[in-house]
Amino acid sequence: MTQPRKPPAVEFAGVHKWYGAFHVLSDIHLHIETGERIVVCGPSGSGKSTLIRCVNRLEEHHRGALRVNGVELSGAEAQIDRVRREVGMVFQQFNLFPHLTVLQNCTLAPIWASATNRREAEARAFALLEKVRIADQAHKYPGALSGGQQQRVAIARALCMNPKIMLFDEPTSALDPEMVKEVLDTMVALAEDGMTMIVVTHEMGFARRVADRVVFMDHGEIVEIAPPEPFFSAPRQERTRQFLSQLLH
Amino acid sequence: MTMPLDAGTRPILERSYLRIRGAGLVSSPANTLTTGVVALLIAWAGWTFLRWAILDAAWNGGPEACRIHAGACWPFISTNARLMFFGVYPQGLLWRPALSLVLMGSVVVASMIPRFWSWRLALAWVTAPTAVCLLLSGAFTAAPVSTNEWGGLPLTLLVWMIAFAGAFVIAVPLALARRSKLGGLRTAAIVTIELVRAVPMLVALYVSRFIVPMTAPAFEINLFVSVEAALTLFVASYLAEILRAGLQSLPTGQTEAAQALGLSYARTMQLVLLPQALRAVIPALVNLGIGVLLSTPLVAVIGMTDFLSAVREAASHEQEWPGCYTIAYLVAGSVFFAICFVASRYSRWLERRLRVAGHR
């Protein structure tokens, strides 16, 4: 290992956040290396969505330091926009732009946020739509697609910005059961390409298969961090055991 | 009452249509009576109108013909059409207001077609009124016409169009300011909007025409400018509220998705939020447009010869043309009705179309 140490992709150092009096993130310490795949799980209201929404500053943290690719996330507006261009996000509700076609959804940000010319942006969009196996729908509006298709478009849209990190906020929770697989398969393929990923999900099968580490959160705290094998077979914390036993039933 | 003889052989569809349309018309003695009375009233009104407008009407000749015939006096319309529709605009140059009508009409019609919705349309809404102003004033030509001689339908349409286009320029920042996180900016927007909305349009016109010039006696403020200033601000305050409602109707996920992609606030508004908000408020926009158009005759009270006052002017030759007010106002009413009816049908069609197209 003679390679110089790169800064971690994401670094939480004593991060706190409150919603009014509610302590939604409490003393979070987490280092995520480039190329690492992290799955965040925990009961609802445990702060896991808030955690990843802090990474691209859809939510502000109130105390502590949060660095993304070495950039401190409490600086100027321009710096935050730069971080956002390097961090892709996929939402539970897809959040595609319904007034634009699939292709336009994918080229909007490359053209207007990172000044790519239209032809280049479209070529890249087509390549990525091909990768999520939906290029044949490029000229349709999102309203004409199924949930699973929409979510795959959302993944392609995020990838069009060439992000270094991808955030997934419960990407399969709003899907009908028969569509979950097509989205998870897309995410597995992405992981195999070496993308740095932080995934909030209840899909434990995905966590087992893809995650380098699983983070378990409860009441705004990180309770346990472990690789999937020990996490699922021998959790150290009582709360983790309780949560996992509820999942299996 | 009107039981068809071959009821059994009528196509089923038609029968059920009749049943739905005719539901309750003859379901009880009281309903039957009401139906009969209303039908008689409609028949009587229709017959009276038909007799007046066609059977007893004078079709050609001069004022004498109208004195003989008891019905409508159509020669009045053909004789005075120019005055009614174009006011006192110089007779030899009538092609200018006529061309203006065509130009403005085309832009309005183009605005109604979803395929043309782009930034070019905004450009057309700036270019068309500018071109019409130049055309009517005869700028750069040997025959300039003062704004005091502009009048009639082109003027009404021009006043309306400039007020609407101008209102957009003011309303978008107003609506955004009203949603701003900056308290001072938000308060300023709220005060502006509420102040203007609390004032009747008539008062706004008076203030703009008579009070504002007092503060700057050195300048002579053109009547046309006064009218547009008042109307634009007036429309803008209502438009801002409509836009705000449209923006509020969008799910927060749209803003978040745009931000997550690294789009700036301005680009998010321009490319993601405003296009959707505008689609969501089209019915309200059409409503506002109709309302403003129907309010334009108020500009007559501060001395502008809009369409309705041009009609009134034309009809004021009462001695010469007996009973011409009726037909003059009827024609003016029909023009307003035609425009507004088309607009409201259009709005319903568009709502359906946007739903079908999956634009949400």
Side-chain angles (χ1 to χ4, degrees), chain B:
Chain B
M1 234 169 82
T2 53
M3 224 13 216
L5 292 175
D6 54 346
T9 59
R10 273 165 169 271
I12 291 167
L13 256 182
E14 196 179 336
R15 261 194 303 165
S16 64
Y17 175 78
L18 270 182
R19 204 177 301 141
I20 292 164
R21 271 304 164 99
L25 285 185
V26 290
S27 55
S28 73
N31 282 355
T32 311
L33 185 69
T34 316
T35 306
V37 170
V38 171
L40 278 177
L41 273 175
I42 292 173
W44 174 79
W47 171 245
T48 310
F49 180 77
L50 189 73
R51 244 178 41 194
W52 177 83
I54 295 170
L55 301 179
D56 291 351
W59 288 96
N60 37 39
E64 324 74 46
C66 290
R67 253 177 234 111
I68 301 164
H69 293 86
C73 177
W74 294 111
F76 169 81
I77 300 296
S78 43
T79 314
N80 291 287
R82 180 180 68 86
L83 269 181
M84 288 171 66
F85 284 93
F86 298 126
V88 293
Y89 203 87
Q91 196 157 5
L93 298 168
L94 280 185
W95 63 271
R96 288 186 189 166
L99 184 61
S100 303
L101 267 186
V102 173
L103 194 63
M104 289 186 289
S106 329
V107 171
V108 172
V109 168
S111 313
M112 295 167 80
I113 303 168
R115 187 166 2 132
F116 292 140
W117 292 348
S118 71
W119 58 272
R120 286 186 195 88
L121 201 58
L123 204 64
W125 274 76
V126 176
T127 326
T130 314
V132 168
C133 282
L134 290 176
L135 191 63
L136 287 181
S137 64
F140 315 118
T141 69
V145 177
S146 129
T147 53
N148 296 330
E149 290 176 85
W150 301 5
L153 197 53
L155 184 61
T156 288
L157 216 60
L158 179 65
V159 164
W160 176 83
M161 213 170 168
I162 295 181
F164 231 70
F168 257 98
V169 177
I170 302 173
V172 171
L174 259 186
L176 297 187
R178 179 145 194 186
R179 284 163 51 88
S180 167
K181 286 193 204 107
L182 309 172
L185 196 60
R186 190 173 60 240
T187 311
I190 292 175
V191 168
T192 311
I193 292 171
E194 294 305 332
L195 263 185
V196 178
R197 291 208 308 167
V199 171
M201 187 192 276
L202 204 53
V203 175
L205 286 169
Y206 270 120
V207 168
S208 172
R209 183 65 188 140
F210 301 116
I211 313 249
V212 172
M214 283 181 200
T215 63
F219 300 96
E220 197 190 327
I221 298 177
N222 186 301
L223 170 63
F224 190 73
V225 174
S226 298
V227 165
E228 288 302 353
L231 273 187
T232 304
L233 197 60
F234 192 81
V235 179
S237 66
Y238 283 86
L239 193 56
E241 285 297 274
I242 291 177
L243 290 179
R244 183 175 70 105
L247 288 169
Q248 248 152 14
S249 75
L250 303 176
T252 52
Q254 291 292 309
T255 315
E256 290 180 353
Q259 285 178 344
L261 286 165
L263 288 167
S264 64
Y265 171 83
R267 291 302 186 203
T268 301
M269 273 298 158
Q270 175 206 342
L271 302 165
V272 177
L273 300 182
L274 279 175
Q276 291 188 66
L278 280 174
R279 278 177 173 80
V281 298
I282 286 167
L285 285 183
V286 174
N287 233 350
L288 182 65
I290 293 177
V292 173
L293 183 71
L294 294 185
S295 309
T296 50
L298 286 177
V299 302
V301 300
I302 58 170
M304 188 177 250
T305 318
D306 72 308
F307 177 45
L308 196 61
S309 53
V311 168
R312 193 184 308 119
E313 202 94 327
S316 61
H317 317 300
E318 178 67 82
Q319 284 82 14
E320 205 181 331
W321 295 92
C324 61
Y325 271 102
T326 319
I327 192 157
Y329 279 124
L330 195 80
V331 167
S334 313
V335 170
F336 278 115
F337 174 79
I339 296 175
C340 296
F341 184 71
V342 168
S344 87
R345 300 303 299 186
Y346 161 74
S347 168
R348 291 182 61 179
W349 167 81
L350 190 70
E351 256 185 282
R352 256 199 318 276
R353 195 197 115 106
L354 290 184
R355 247 200 323 267
V356 171
H359 287 297
R360 197 199 315 230

Side-chain angles (χ1 to χ4, degrees), chain A residues 53 56 58 81 84-85 87-89 91 95-100 105 108-109 112-113 141 143 157-158 161, chain B residues 252-265 267 270-273 275-276 279 357-360:
Chain A
R53 286 162 62 89
N56 63 355
L58 289 183
D81 277 346
R84 281 175 174 165
R85 285 196 290 271
V87 178
M89 186 164 197
F91 300 84
N95 296 347
L96 293 178
F97 306 130
H99 63 301
L100 301 176
N105 263 280
L108 191 75
W112 295 96
Y141 285 93
R157 176 177 73 176
M161 288 297 282
Chain B
T252 52
Q254 291 292 309
T255 315
E256 290 180 353
Q259 285 178 344
L261 286 165
L263 288 167
S264 64
Y265 171 83
R267 291 302 186 203
Q270 175 206 342
L271 302 165
V272 177
L273 300 182
Q276 291 188 66
R279 278 177 173 80
H359 287 297
R360 197 199 315 230

